[in-house]
Amino acid sequence: MDTRERLIASTRELLWERGYVGTSPKAIQERSGAGQGSMYHHFHGKPDLALAAISRSAEELRSRAEAQFSGPGTVVERITAYLRRERDVLKGCPVGRLTQDPDVMADPDLRRPVEETFTWLTDRLTGLLAEGRGNGELAPGLDPVGTATALVAVLQGGYVLARAADSAEVFGRAVDGALGLLTAHIR
């Protein structure tokens, strides 16, 4: 891994662990093994590097989700695969946690990849649910937009509840509950 990639990877980890304020250039340099000169050779400063790291986290989230969404199986099976995939639940969502970071949310550039990721996720789930409704797998009364929004909210809320309880089981129960509501619409 080259220096630029080490800097991005280290910043992603630190943002996930400590948030924006706790991610100092010194901590990034120590974790990445890169010197100050290398950091400023590749990035204009902490905001530029943070944007690269947040964007990379967002791209990875979308890519991993798309692997399940475009995989084999029915719509409900693909959504189930996404909701139940392996996650580091107690660390929280690397993108979702950023919504609790006032410095990220106050900066339109840093906020953009977070907002775009949740918009993409909701839209992608909406499309899948509409596909399931259209092909007769799901009941015609299912609201794809509302259901997709609820599924995203359950995932993000599941992370919060699991962290508060220090138990991944809470996340699993939230996912099971959401899937119970969804499968009630299977025809």
Side-chain angles (χ1 to χ4, degrees):
M1 186 181 312
D2 70 13
T3 302
R4 184 176 195 285
E5 289 303 313
R6 285 196 327 269
L7 286 163
I8 291 171
S10 297
T11 303
R12 288 177 64 195
E13 292 168 6
L14 288 164
L15 285 169
W16 198 5
E17 294 166 12
R18 304 179 183 182
Y20 186 78
V21 169
T23 301
S24 67
K26 182 178 171 79
I28 295 167
Q29 291 160 23
E30 287 174 1
R31 178 138 333 165
S32 67
Q36 184 175 359
S38 293
M39 183 173 152
Y40 291 101
H41 169 74
H42 293 287
F43 300 97
H44 292 82
K46 178 181 166 181
D48 187 37
L49 178 50
L51 178 59
I54 292 167
S55 296
R56 182 72 57 82
S57 291
E59 289 165 17
E60 187 177 287
L61 185 148
R62 289 190 303 267
S63 174
R64 291 189 69 204
E66 187 57 41
Q68 270 95 34
F69 295 155
S70 60
T74 66
V75 165
V76 172
E77 288 169 345
R78 289 180 278 155
I79 291 172
T80 299
Y82 168 70
L83 294 175
R84 294 202 177 179
R85 81 162 188 239
E86 190 174 325
R87 293 173 161 83
D88 194 346
V89 173
L90 295 180
K91 277 184 82 175
C93 174
V95 176
R97 280 192 65 178
L98 295 170
T99 64
Q100 301 302 310
D101 191 316
D103 295 293
V104 171
M105 292 296 98
D107 183 320
D109 291 330
L110 296 179
R111 177 190 175 119
R112 188 172 302 109
V114 174
E115 185 178 358
E116 288 172 352
T117 296
F118 286 119
T119 298
W120 175 87
L121 183 57
T122 304
D123 289 350
R124 189 67 176 91
L125 283 164
T126 298
L128 284 170
L129 293 164
E131 175 189 327
R133 194 176 68 178
N135 71 18
E137 178 186 346
L138 296 167
L142 178 116
D143 172 14
V145 175
T147 303
T149 303
L151 291 173
V152 173
V154 164
L155 267 187
Q156 293 304 312
Y159 282 120
V160 170
L161 294 175
R163 286 174 56 85
D166 195 29
S167 169
E169 287 180 34
V170 176
F171 181 90
R173 286 196 303 269
V175 167
D176 289 346
L179 287 171
L181 295 170
L182 178 60
T183 58
H185 291 277
I186 293 177
R187 294 181 66 176

